[in-house]
Amino acid sequence: MASKKIPAFAYLRTSSATNVGADKDSDKRQLRAIEAFARARGFEIVGSFYDAAVSGADPIDTRPGMLALLDAVLSNGTRTILVESPDRFARDAIVQELGHRMLKERGVDLIPTTAPDYFLHDTPTTTLVRTILGAVSAFDRQQTVAKLKGARDRRSAELGRRVEGRKPVPADAVELAKRLYRKSPKTGTRRSLRQIAAELAEAGHTSNGTVYNANSVRQMLTKAGVYRAS
């Protein structure tokens, strides 16, 4: 009896616009390499996402293809992303580390076909980058808290009354989001984060009158314990 294959998404990226188009081979070559690796390693490609004319130095969360991929990953239970090589994911060391950290925190495995163990081992570069990022992150959090408090204090003085910070998401909105996130008993699939946001809005749950974005729904469900790195 054949062993069950592991579902995975393919991520493709081409930097130069001159290498993008129906007559170009960059995306096709990347996909062929990923599909060959998948066949040899017991993966099944369930979908592919492509960032055309996107620099490898661009932050992960600004790429349309990657954002669509993340939405799909967090909606259907697939927890593996295959990419042709580490630099197809990101060329910049900090962008690469930040992107990998973001995926790892969500329980997603990132595997480059040319170096499958690339993201499993620490190197002097990754250790240095992580140390710098940790220090910068802590400083940024403290700066943000101080700026927000200062802005609220100034606004309070102007209005003559206390101005509070951002209100927490109502508990009933979180509970509804959790129910909407559950897999369909008929299809085994989940609603996308954007679909959940739209249904929350229909039920009267918005952020100051604006429909929640996908990232807000993700944060909502993460705090509720839905997303946890395995």
Side-chain angles (χ1 to χ4, degrees):
M1 182 177 178
S3 59
K4 186 176 179 180
K5 293 188 176 182
I6 302 170
F9 284 116
Y11 176 67
L12 322 171
R13 184 188 61 78
T14 301
S15 297
S16 175
T18 60
N19 293 326
V20 175
D23 60 333
K24 305 300 180 180
D25 190 57
S26 177
D27 58 324
K28 302 178 184 64
R29 177 185 52 74
Q30 291 178 55
L31 186 57
R32 285 196 298 269
I34 291 172
E35 288 175 338
F37 178 88
R39 286 193 298 271
R41 297 297 186 97
F43 292 98
E44 178 184 5
I45 304 300
V46 296
S48 63
F49 294 81
Y50 183 34
D51 272 317
V54 171
S55 170
D58 287 355
I60 302 302
D61 59 1
T62 65
R63 305 178 186 180
M66 178 57 74
L67 289 175
L69 170 55
L70 289 175
D71 200 356
V73 163
L74 297 174
S75 297
N76 80 349
T78 298
R79 287 295 183 271
T80 302
I81 296 175
L82 301 181
V83 62
E84 182 191 27
S85 59
D87 62 352
R88 284 297 173 188
F89 177 64
R91 288 187 182 277
D92 183 273
I94 291 180
V95 172
Q96 192 177 89
E97 176 60 25
L98 278 173
H100 176 243
R101 178 187 295 187
M102 178 180 68
L103 294 175
K104 187 176 180 181
E105 288 174 349
R106 290 162 173 77
V108 179
D109 293 325
L110 176 65
I111 304 176
T113 66
T114 59
D117 296 333
Y118 182 86
F119 289 107
L120 298 181
H121 302 298
D122 290 338
T123 65
T125 299
T126 59
T127 299
L128 175 61
V129 169
R130 287 169 190 167
T131 301
I132 294 173
L133 289 176
V136 170
S137 178
F139 176 76
D140 186 58
R141 283 196 302 271
Q142 293 172 2
Q143 286 287 88
T144 299
V145 170
K147 288 179 180 178
L148 291 174
K149 182 180 184 302
R152 288 197 301 270
D153 289 346
R154 288 192 297 272
R155 187 59 176 163
S156 296
E158 292 173 1
L159 298 176
R161 60 180 174 80
R162 184 64 185 168
V163 176
E164 301 297 335
R166 179 182 297 178
K167 295 181 180 179
V169 177
D172 55 342
V174 175
E175 287 303 315
L176 176 57
K178 290 168 63 177
R179 291 199 300 273
L180 292 171
Y181 178 71
R182 292 171 186 163
K183 287 184 177 180
S184 165
K186 293 183 179 180
T187 65
T189 60
R190 303 180 192 273
R191 293 175 175 83
S192 72
L193 299 175
R194 292 185 178 87
Q195 288 173 330
I196 293 174
E199 294 194 35
L200 284 172
E202 289 180 5
H205 298 297
T206 60
S207 176
N208 296 323
T210 303
V211 177
Y212 288 110
N213 58 37
N215 187 56
S216 294
V217 175
R218 183 184 301 121
Q219 292 177 351
M220 191 186 306
L221 296 175
T222 299
K223 291 180 180 178
V226 176
Y227 293 129
R228 288 179 181 171
S230 56

